Amino acid sequence: MLYLGIDFGTSGARAIVINEPEHIQFETHCLFAENQSNNLVNIWANTLDQLLYSIPVEIRQKISAIAINGTSSTVLLCDSQGNPIDDPILYNDARGKIVLEKIEKIAPKGHLVCSATSSLAKLFWWQQTPIFEEACYLLHQADWLGFLLHGKLGISDYHNALKLGYDVENLCYPDWLLNLPISSILPQVLPPGTVVATIKLEIIKHFNFNPNCLVCTGTTDSIAAFLASQVKQPGEAVTSLGSTLVLKLLSQTPVNDSSSGIYSHRFGDLWLTGGASNTGGAVLKQFFNSQKLEDLSKKIEINKPTNLDYYPLLKPGERFPINDPNLSPKLKQKPDNPIIFLQGLLESMAKIEALGYLKLQQLGATPVTQVYTAGGGAKNQTWTKIREDYLKVPVTISRQTEAAYGTALLAKRSRLC
């Protein structure tokens, strides 16, 4: 039997197929078409098709389970047929700040949803628009992509639904949320990796898939990266260095603090606590292409800190470790030497990462003892050394660095349930 994991990020998607011993049998990726940025759902659907087509037929026919991850708190409103009725609102979109006061009057003090980028804030924002009358379902990115494969509407997982207000300790929606008029379009929430249905007949025919292939509930991209690392001990953490900077620490106790953008996911008998910053690789790409980034990184003298005081963001707004939708990027004093400038950016991101783990510990999480790194930034050895200096714990590349691998593991586990 083979298992397919699909990872949808901010700039593209990746698919990984593993076998029973969890070895990779096939891997492919696809970048989103840049000239279609005004029609994201078509880009996602076309990318999903491209990924499936690129898997050799002989492998497709042996795939017995599929799971998909997507960016956390990227949401869509859909009609009764699952067609999006508006553009998706992405994970880092802070338009929900205009409804925060309304949410804060309803939700418990300090709740995760009291954030401008939470899924619930986006839903409240939509509720104020005329198009909301057409809405039948609120779905996360992974939910909707899963629907394209299994055809069942209104189903999510408790990793994606956390920022919607779902109570992961009691595994239910809280009464304060169920009593709202919007509750009718909330998705049914299942554990990640739960079998939803066999793959749709049209997908079987179109792509020559195994007719008994199961499609499961998914997870978020950062949790998928954590799953890929196969970390199991409290105190071990995974930092995902993708377009954004995401911290996940395995803790014996949950930590939730909306004022710092910190939240905890259920992870068996333990808790996966952390947060996501808007800094990261997307900022680096604004100034350097991949080759330049690699070349300049090798020339950095890490024993000579720049002392540049940056807070690298693409635009105003931060989620963690500072939760401020109006926080301005801090990138002044740009030196003429691009090596020094890059070093200053990497140092500043390392400071943000260190501050994040420090805040988790101060709020009661298990102290970090080891950091594994996932995402594209994991390959930058210079950045790893800089981060290790700030974090004061060993930093290594995850055993597997791709979120799609973690999602394939999730698909495999569905067959064991």
Side-chain angles (χ1 to χ4, degrees):
M1 291 184 179
L2 300 178
Y3 307 93
L4 171 60
I6 301 176
D7 163 43
F8 267 75
T10 55
S11 58
R14 181 176 297 273
I16 288 179
V17 179
I18 63 172
N19 61 9
E20 286 290 343
E22 300 177 356
H23 299 147
I24 295 176
Q25 302 300 292
F26 183 78
E27 183 174 0
T28 186
H29 72 279
C30 181
L31 294 175
F32 295 150
E34 295 182 4
N35 61 348
Q36 301 180 51
S37 59
N38 61 337
N39 198 341
L40 273 177
V41 291
N42 282 349
I43 292 174
W44 295 345
N46 292 336
T47 300
L48 180 61
D49 282 353
Q50 289 179 52
L51 289 175
L52 297 180
Y53 265 126
S54 66
I55 300 172
V57 175
E58 62 270 21
I59 290 181
R60 279 184 239 157
Q61 293 174 338
K62 297 177 183 178
I63 293 173
S64 59
I66 303 172
I68 301 178
N69 77 68
T71 50
S72 176
S73 201
T74 292
V75 290
L76 309 86
L77 278 186
C78 299
D79 63 17
S80 60
Q81 302 302 308
N83 301 307
I85 61 175
D86 196 7
D87 293 332
I89 302 181
L90 299 182
Y91 65 96
N92 60 351
D93 191 311
R95 72 182 71 182
K97 61 186 177 183
I98 66 173
V99 296
L100 277 184
E101 186 176 345
K102 183 177 179 181
I103 293 176
E104 288 168 350
K105 291 180 179 178
I106 300 169
K109 184 178 180 181
H111 196 283
L112 174 65
V113 297
C114 300
S115 165
T117 58
S118 74
S119 301
L120 189 64
K122 290 161 185 167
L123 178 54
F124 269 54
W125 181 88
W126 257 320
Q127 188 184 22
Q128 300 181 137
T129 66
I131 204 168
F132 189 77
E133 295 180 4
E134 305 173 36
C136 294
Y137 299 98
L138 175 84
L139 297 176
H140 302 88
Q141 181 184 32
D143 307 338
W144 186 74
L145 290 166
F147 155 72
L148 296 183
L149 298 183
H150 56 60
K152 305 294 183 182
L153 276 167
I155 297 175
S156 187
D157 64 90
Y158 62 57
H159 287 161
N160 272 295
L162 181 68
K163 295 179 182 178
L164 189 56
Y166 187 77
D167 183 346
V168 294
E169 293 193 52
N170 297 302
L171 298 178
C172 63
Y173 283 112
D175 289 341
W176 62 263
L177 189 53
L178 290 177
N179 292 333
L180 301 176
I182 58 171
S183 64
S184 62
I185 68 170
L186 297 177
Q188 177 188 1
V189 180
L190 301 173
T194 300
V195 174
V196 177
T198 53
I199 198 165
K200 289 196 304 185
L201 182 60
E202 64 184 82
I203 302 292
I204 295 171
K205 292 181 177 178
H206 195 59
F207 295 98
N208 203 10
F209 262 89
N210 169 9
N212 296 316
C213 178
L214 304 173
V215 183
C216 315
T217 51
T219 183
T220 66
D221 53 349
S222 60
I223 290 187
F226 191 92
L227 290 169
S229 72
Q230 301 191 56
V231 164
K232 297 176 182 177
Q233 298 300 319
E236 294 181 327
V238 173
T239 295
S240 297
L241 298 176
S243 297
T244 58
L245 174 71
V246 182
L247 276 56
K248 297 291 182 188
L249 170 64
L250 199 57
S251 174
Q252 293 175 318
T253 55
V255 173
N256 295 287
D257 179 36
S258 64
S259 65
S260 300
I262 294 170
Y263 50 93
S264 296
H265 285 278
R266 176 183 284 272
F267 203 79
D269 294 330
L270 299 171
W271 294 90
L272 195 53
T273 186
S277 168
N278 288 337
T279 196
V283 180
L284 297 176
K285 287 183 179 180
Q286 186 181 32
F287 301 102
F288 309 98
N289 60 36
S290 297
Q291 189 60 53
K292 200 72 172 176
L293 187 60
E294 181 179 347
D295 294 341
L296 293 177
S297 293
K298 294 177 181 178
K299 298 177 181 178
I300 289 175
E301 298 182 57
I302 59 175
N303 60 338
K304 295 181 180 179
T306 66
N307 296 316
L308 290 168
D309 186 20
Y310 293 152
Y311 204 107
L313 298 170
L314 286 178
K315 59 183 181 180
E318 175 61 310
R319 299 175 288 165
F320 167 83
I322 301 169
N323 187 8
D324 181 356
N326 299 310
L327 184 70
S328 297
K330 195 175 181 182
L331 286 168
K332 294 181 179 180
Q333 299 178 341
K334 180 181 177 181
D336 294 331
N337 187 331
I339 300 173
I340 301 298
F341 179 51
L342 174 59
Q343 183 176 353
L345 291 174
L346 296 181
E347 289 172 348
S348 298
M349 292 179 186
K351 291 177 187 176
I352 294 170
E353 181 183 2
L355 177 60
Y357 283 120
L358 177 62
K359 282 211 167 188
L360 294 177
Q361 182 177 335
Q362 290 174 337
L363 291 169
T366 302
V368 63
T369 57
Q370 168 84 46
V371 173
Y372 294 92
T373 312
K379 301 173 185 177
N380 190 318
Q381 296 181 3
T382 301
W383 198 0
T384 297
K385 292 176 182 176
I386 291 172
R387 293 170 52 232
E388 196 167 44
D389 186 51
Y390 280 95
L391 292 170
K392 309 299 182 186
V393 298
V395 177
T396 57
I397 296 178
S398 295
R399 297 176 181 89
Q400 291 288 342
T401 62
E402 295 295 344
Y405 181 86
T407 312
L409 291 176
L410 192 65
K412 181 191 173 190
R413 291 171 191 172
S414 72
R415 295 305 300 252
L416 303 177
C417 297

